[in-house]
């Protein structure tokens, strides 16, 4: 099992990608609106991450993302405003879909880890919620709609 987790109640789930294996190695592919539930508008990756670094620490208003460990491993901590969970990513075939209004933090990067993220929208700083109390208010307001 490449990912270990305690699943939160909603808005976060594992995504398993196909693999084609032969004596030359493994090939995995991902198609927007097929393997991930959105059209892929952006791909970015984190690398050269110090092992003691902490990344994330925010939520998004509309952005959906799928996070993969292409190489090495790291911890992804998830908070939906009601409960917390964590995933240990280490399998490049298995990602974590993070819906909107989910607080995420990442740490415990192994030496040489590479994190790839597929995103539903282009980069927009206005989509970030970087204050935790503001995040909790947004979750509360959203659940009252
Ligand atoms: C997320 C986690 C998993 C850009 O210019 N374009 C981009 O596409 C991104 C993602 C970032 N940036 C700039 C914005 C900041 O000046 O790069 C700088 C570092 O971004 P940030 O501090 O947000 O990086 P992380 O690793 O804390 O968070 C990133 C994503 O921003 C975020 O959406 O969910 O990875």
């Amino acid at each position: 099992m490449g990912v270990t987790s305690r699943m939160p109640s909603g808005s976060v789930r594992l995504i398993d990608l196909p693999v084609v294996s032969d004596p030359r190695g493994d090939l995995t592919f991902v198609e927007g609106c097929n393997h991930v539930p959105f059209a892929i508008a952006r791909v970015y990756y984190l690398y050269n991450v110090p092992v003691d670094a902490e990344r994330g620490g925010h939520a998004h208003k509309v952005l959906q993302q799928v996070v993969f460990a292409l190489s090495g491993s790291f911890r992804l901590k998830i908070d939906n405003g009601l409960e917390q969970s964590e995933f240990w990513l280490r399998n490049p075939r298995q990602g974590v879909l993070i819906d909107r209004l989910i607080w995420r933090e990442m740490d415990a990067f192994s030496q040489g880890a590479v994190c790839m993220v597929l995103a539903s929208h282009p980069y927009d700083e206005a989509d970030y919620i970087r204050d935790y109390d503001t995040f909790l208010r947004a979750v509360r307001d959203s659940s009252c709609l």
Side-chain angles (χ1 to χ4, degrees):
M1 178 88 175
V3 176
T4 56
S5 67
R6 290 179 295 111
M7 295 291 286
S9 58
S11 300
V12 176
R13 65 178 167 89
L14 297 176
I15 299 272
D16 288 301
L17 297 180
V19 60
V20 182
S21 299
D22 67 30
R24 299 169 298 168
D26 297 336
L27 184 155
T28 282
F29 54 96
V30 54
E31 298 170 355
C33 302
N34 181 4
H35 305 106
V36 298
F38 52 78
I40 299 168
R42 176 168 51 113
V43 178
Y44 63 92
Y45 33 96
L46 310 174
Y47 54 101
N48 293 335
V49 180
V51 295
D52 58 351
E54 297 178 357
R55 305 203 62 124
H58 55 254
H60 286 280
K61 297 173 187 171
V62 301
L63 189 72
Q64 292 179 291
Q65 303 192 102
V66 186
V67 178
F68 295 90
L70 286 194
S71 184
S73 62
F74 57 87
R75 176 168 62 174
L76 173 63
K77 294 191 285 185
I78 293 295
D79 181 344
N80 65 7
L82 297 172
E83 51 185 334
Q84 294 80 39
S85 63
E86 64 180 33
F87 297 82
W88 288 89
L89 286 89
R90 59 177 68 89
N91 181 344
R93 286 182 55 201
Q94 197 167 48
V96 178
L97 170 66
I98 306 176
D99 208 343
R100 61 185 290 270
L101 291 184
I102 297 287
W103 190 267
R104 83 289 315 267
E105 297 173 359
M106 303 155 72
D107 66 4
F109 286 84
S110 66
Q111 191 77 42
V114 178
C115 166
M116 180 186 74
V117 182
L118 309 176
S120 62
H121 292 77
Y123 174 72
D124 178 9
E125 181 59 34
D127 188 62
Y128 283 72
I129 303 173
R130 296 192 183 274
D131 175 72
Y132 188 73
D133 289 337
T134 304
F135 160 68
L136 290 179
R137 277 197 299 277
V139 170
R140 188 191 59 216
D141 293 349
S142 169
S143 65
C144 289
L145 291 175

